């Protein structure tokens, strides 16, 4: 039994187990903050379960259907301003939380996208998604959204160019996440 517990403690599941025990004990002892934690966990869990499978299917289809030479041609190192515009449009047409953009960014990198366009894509994804813009316009108005976009978009483009300049001689690589998590320990 002791070996089994030590073996579990060495895995990445230990945090999930501790969290589950905490939630269970807080429910038994009616610990009020744990109720909020449990509700937030459930909201994020449902969001991830409903979003991630579809996102990975789309990423898989993109990986199979779009050849590398086309990605390099349109958003690669020599794509220029057209590549920037394509990356912004790609980011705008997507939906979902920001963590959904990282697998896409990895795939774009793997297919030959430039460093500049990777950072522009991530910035545009975080602020210019059409579903998010519609909510923003509804709550804060069109004038606010246009002004915010006019301020943030040039900043993200500048960051993309600066990151490409900074990382050009540093062997920058976008890594695929480890499947077991043990490689990062």
């Amino acid at each position: 039994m002791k070996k089994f517990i030590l073996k579990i403690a060495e895995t990445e599941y230990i945090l999930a187990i501790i969290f589950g025990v905490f939630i269970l004990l807080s429910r038994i002892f009616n610990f009020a903050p744990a109720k909020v934690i449990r509700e937030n966990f459930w909201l994020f869990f449902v969001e991830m379960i409903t979003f991630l499978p579809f996102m990975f299917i789309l990423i898989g289809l993109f990986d199979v259907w779009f050849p590398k030479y086309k990605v390099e041609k349109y958003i690669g190192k020599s794509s220029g301003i057209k590549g920037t515009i394509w990356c912004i449009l790609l980011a705008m047409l997507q939906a979902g939380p920001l963590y959904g953009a990282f697998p896409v960014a990895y795939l774009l990198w793997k297919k030959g996208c430039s460093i500049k366009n990777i950072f522009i894509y991530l910035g545009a994804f975080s602020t210019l998604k059409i579903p998010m813009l519609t909510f923003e316009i509804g709550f804060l108005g069109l004038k606010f959204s246009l002004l915010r976009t006019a301020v943030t978009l040039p900043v993200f483009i500048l960051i993309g160019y600066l990151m490409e300049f900074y990382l050009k001689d540093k062997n920058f690589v976008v890594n695929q996440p480890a499947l077991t998590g043990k490689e990062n320990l």
Side-chain angles (χ1 to χ4, degrees):
M1 183 70 178
K2 186 177 177 182
K3 279 185 176 181
F4 179 72
I5 292 172
L6 288 174
K7 191 169 186 169
I8 288 176
E10 292 175 359
T11 67
E12 63 270 8
Y13 302 112
I14 189 67
L15 290 178
I17 292 170
I18 291 171
F19 180 74
V21 169
F22 172 74
I23 293 299
L24 182 66
L25 291 175
S26 65
R27 188 176 182 104
I28 292 170
F29 296 110
N30 202 16
F31 184 55
K35 183 178 179 186
V36 176
I37 293 170
R38 187 178 59 234
E39 289 171 357
N40 286 335
F41 171 76
W42 183 249
L43 286 174
F44 286 115
F45 180 74
V46 169
E47 179 186 277
M48 287 181 65
I49 289 297
T50 56
F51 171 74
L52 285 179
F54 297 111
M55 185 196 71
F56 284 118
I57 289 171
L58 290 176
I59 289 172
L61 292 174
F62 180 80
D63 193 17
V64 173
W65 287 347
F66 284 88
K68 185 173 182 172
Y69 73 91
K70 283 191 177 179
V71 174
E72 286 176 342
K73 177 181 175 185
Y74 291 108
I75 58 176
K77 289 180 182 174
S78 60
S79 62
I81 192 68
K82 287 182 184 175
T84 300
I85 292 170
W86 278 116
C87 279
I88 292 169
L89 289 175
L90 175 66
M92 289 181 73
L93 294 175
Q94 292 183 320
L98 182 59
Y99 58 78
F102 294 114
V104 177
Y106 168 74
L107 184 62
L108 291 175
W109 171 258
K110 186 176 128 184
K111 293 276 185 176
C113 184
S114 68
I115 295 171
K116 164 190 68 181
N117 287 333
I118 293 286
F119 283 99
I120 291 170
Y121 165 78
L122 289 172
F125 185 91
S126 66
T127 59
L128 296 175
K129 292 178 288 190
I130 289 175
M132 189 185 82
L133 286 175
T134 56
F135 278 105
E136 183 180 277
I137 291 169
F139 283 105
L140 301 172
L142 180 63
K143 189 176 177 182
F144 175 84
S145 292
L146 290 174
L147 182 61
R148 188 197 52 77
T149 301
V151 171
T152 57
L153 186 57
V155 170
F156 288 126
I157 292 172
L158 179 65
I159 288 171
Y161 278 92
L162 288 174
M163 292 304 286
E164 185 170 66
F165 177 75
Y166 176 74
L167 295 171
K168 70 179 175 186
D169 297 329
K170 298 192 176 3
N171 295 325
F172 175 73
V173 175
V174 178
N175 292 318
Q176 181 178 17
L179 295 176
T180 61
K182 291 180 180 177
E183 290 83 359
N184 295 330
L185 294 176

